[in-house]
Amino acid sequence: MEHVEVRLGNRSYNIQIGYGCLQHFGVAYTDLGLSKSVAIVTNPTVSDLYLKPVKQGLERAGCTVSVLTMPDGEEYKTLETAHGLYGGLIDAGVDRSSMIVALGGGVVGDTAGFVAATYLRGIDFVQVPTTLESQVDASVGGKTAVDHPLGKNMVGAFHQPRLVYIDTETLRSLPGREVAAGTAEVIKHGIIRDTELFKFLEDNLESLIGLELPPEDLVWVIAQNCRIKADVVSSDETEKGLREILNYGHTVGHAIEVVTEFKEFKHGEAVCLGMTAAGKIALDKGMWHKEDLDRQTELLRRLGTRIGVENLDPLQILDRMGSDKKVRDGVIRFVLPEAMGKVVTCDTVTRDEMLAGISHTMAVH
Ligand code: NAD
Ligand code: GLY
């Protein structure tokens, strides 16, 4: 098992990563002395695959376990779903000393985390992420939220988990499109912070998305991403500065998700389009070398997440960007690359540069 610490004083926690370790979750959980009263939040897809080992492991370790199931899909990451979960928790007698365990991808993790942040003014929770997206990004760092029809993740709270427990073997049942979408966040981490990871992806992308990497390499990839995210979050938990770099590709990406009503693109696919736009903007501003943009473009091309983009209206996307969370004092902020492994935030991108970047995604993808 690899262990990565998110260092946040007395709210520090471990990310434990292994291959085939789900059956040992109950032991890892109780080793930390966490509550014996547990409510697992999951969805039907993940429940069919992985609820049994998680629930039985907790019960064997002496926990009382109730299970709450939310519908599967980004369109259910809503206050309405949260409302239903609050009712389930009350019915199950969950109190302030109980624990929520989020078992699933980023949608379950974000929603269950938000419910944990708000139920009874906040109770503890643990993340057991089962998608690539959630293992390398969503489960780490304490951002919890639900979507609003006018914007993604618009209602939420920072609420750190007590433990993140990752079994990379669960990725084996993930549909290929989900693996590719999650890989977008891995590419993002390489570009913003880690040239070694980016080079690894250039050498091994097809093996990663085909899940053909040796188990120890797969664990290394996930752990490396968790280390990047843990480092950033440890120094800027609530996104006052450094954490903004994790939003590379998100300014345009989120707008595309909203404009297409969360139906057409996976989050990671939208981030690919956003990174393409941001890369072009950085090039036009003279901040980034053409060779580095070409390396990014080639890696994204090999990822093969190019769908439906020609139907998008750049002006509509630009309009939507104006109501994103990343807007500060009316200025749209971008994260732009300066070198491979190094990005900066920029609030001087002109409307024409934005439009050129957005239009470029349609030319490239
Ligand atoms: P998801 O949770 O919708 O999961 C994708 C699909 O895979 C779902 O149908 C799910 O049921 C299924 N699934 C999950 N695990 C599986 C497995 N092991 N085998 C087979 N199927 C499985 O999507 P996601 O990509 O995991 O997460 C996207 C969400 O995460 C978005 O809402 C995004 O905003 C959020 N996110 C949050 C953060 C954060 O910091 N909180 C960061 C990145 C993304
Ligand atoms: N996914 C961006 C962040 O956690 O800050």
Side-chain angles (χ1 to χ4, degrees), residues 129-163:
T130 59
T131 61
L132 186 56
E133 169 82 42
S134 57
Q135 294 186 357
V136 299
D137 192 349
S139 65
V140 177
K143 275 190 183 176
T144 75
V146 292
D147 297 331
H148 185 277
L150 294 179
K152 200 172 151 55
N153 297 328
M154 280 309 223
V155 183
F158 287 98
H159 188 56
Q160 300 293 339
R162 297 291 305 274
L163 165 71

Side-chain angles (χ1 to χ4, degrees), residues 6 13 17 39 66 77 87 102 115 167 194-195 205 217 226 231 238 265 288 313 317-318 335:
V6 183
Y13 56 94
I17 308 136
S66 50
K77 199 176 117 173
V115 165
D167 180 355
D194 191 338
T195 49
L205 188 82
D217 286 1
C226 290
D231 269 0
T238 54
F265 296 96
W288 209 24
D313 174 0
I317 295 166
L318 186 61
V335 178

Side-chain angles (χ1 to χ4, degrees), residues 46-59:
V46 180
S47 162
D48 284 353
L49 292 162
Y50 302 115
L51 178 62
K52 198 169 163 191
V54 171
K55 184 166 183 281
Q56 286 185 344
L58 287 167
E59 284 170 346

Side-chain angles (χ1 to χ4, degrees), residues 133 137-138 140-143 153 158 185 188-189 229 232-233 236-237 239 243-248 250 254 267:
E133 169 82 42
D137 192 349
V140 177
K143 275 190 183 176
N153 297 328
F158 287 98
E185 303 281 10
K188 178 193 84 176
H189 283 148
K229 189 142 187 201
V232 171
V233 169
D236 178 21
E237 181 185 6
E239 204 170 298
R243 188 166 179 168
E244 283 185 287
I245 69 171
L246 297 173
N247 295 328
Y248 179 51
H250 285 56
H254 272 176
H267 176 69

Side-chain angles (χ1 to χ4, degrees), residues 14-329:
N14 250 299
I15 307 164
Q16 299 184 15
I17 308 136
Y19 185 89
C21 59
L22 204 58
Q23 54 184 319
H24 306 304
F25 171 66
V27 174
Y29 176 90
T30 42
D31 275 356
L32 293 175
L34 300 173
S35 173
K36 297 273 183 192
S37 160
V38 178
I40 298 175
V41 176
T42 187
N43 72 25
T45 312
V46 180
S47 162
D48 284 353
L49 292 162
Y50 302 115
L51 178 62
K52 198 169 163 191
V54 171
K55 184 166 183 281
Q56 286 185 344
L58 287 167
E59 284 170 346
R60 267 199 308 273
C63 298
T64 309
V65 183
S66 50
V67 178
L68 305 181
T69 307
M70 62 178 275
D72 188 356
E74 178 78 35
E75 63 271 37
Y76 298 105
K77 199 176 117 173
T78 59
L79 274 176
E80 196 185 349
T81 299
H83 185 80
L85 292 171
Y86 297 137
L89 293 172
I90 295 167
D91 283 347
V94 168
D95 65 27
R96 292 191 90 168
S97 65
S98 304
M99 179 71 70
I100 289 178
V101 171
L103 173 66
V107 168
V108 166
D110 279 13
T111 310
F114 175 72
V115 165
T118 46
Y119 179 71
L120 301 178
R121 299 195 180 90
I123 68 170
D124 284 343
F125 83 118
V126 163
Q127 292 270 19
V128 185
T130 59
T131 61
L132 186 56
E133 169 82 42
S134 57
Q135 294 186 357
V136 299
D137 192 349
S139 65
V140 177
K143 275 190 183 176
T144 75
V146 292
D147 297 331
H148 185 277
L150 294 179
K152 200 172 151 55
N153 297 328
M154 280 309 223
V155 183
F158 287 98
H159 188 56
Q160 300 293 339
R162 297 291 305 274
L163 165 71
V164 180
Y165 191 83
I166 300 177
D167 180 355
T168 59
E169 194 180 19
T170 59
L171 300 177
R172 297 227 162 270
S173 53
L174 204 58
R177 187 176 169 192
E178 300 292 349
V179 177
T183 304
E185 303 281 10
V186 181
I187 294 175
K188 178 193 84 176
H189 283 148
I191 293 168
I192 66 171
R193 202 84 171 157
D194 191 338
T195 49
E196 182 193 0
L197 178 62
F198 193 85
K199 181 74 177 64
F200 178 90
L201 292 172
E202 288 183 316
D203 294 341
N204 297 284
L205 188 82
E206 285 71 21
S207 306
L208 173 59
I209 57 183
L211 293 174
E212 286 155 0
L213 286 178
E216 61 276 18
D217 286 1
L218 187 57
V219 168
W220 178 82
V221 170
I222 306 298
Q224 191 69 357
N225 280 273
C226 290
R227 275 187 280 273
I228 292 167
K229 189 142 187 201
D231 269 0
V232 171
V233 169
S234 296
S235 61
D236 178 21
E237 181 185 6
T238 54
E239 204 170 298
K240 299 284 190 295
L242 179 68
R243 188 166 179 168
E244 283 185 287
I245 69 171
L246 297 173
N247 295 328
Y248 179 51
H250 285 56
T251 309
V252 171
H254 272 176
I256 289 176
E257 283 183 274
V258 176
V259 162
T260 54
E261 296 172 347
F262 305 111
K263 290 186 186 130
E264 207 167 328
F265 296 96
K266 304 277 167 205
H267 176 69
E269 293 167 348
V271 170
C272 283
L273 299 173
M275 290 193 284
T276 299
K280 163 78 170 145
I281 292 168
L283 182 80
D284 286 351
K285 285 184 124 4
M287 295 169 57
W288 209 24
H289 290 296
K290 173 88 168 53
E291 307 86 80
D292 284 341
L293 175 60
D294 288 346
R295 285 176 75 191
Q296 170 181 285
T297 306
E298 175 58 12
L299 203 53
L300 294 177
R301 187 195 61 70
R302 285 165 60 192
L303 193 56
T305 54
R306 51 172 93 175
I307 29 136
V309 74
E310 64 278 0
N311 300 325
L312 298 175
D313 174 0
L315 284 171
Q316 201 189 357
I317 295 166
L318 186 61
D319 185 48
R320 180 48 59 194
M321 278 157 49
S323 51
D324 194 80
K325 292 189 304 309
K326 288 171 282 301
V327 172
R328 296 228 183 122
D329 298 329

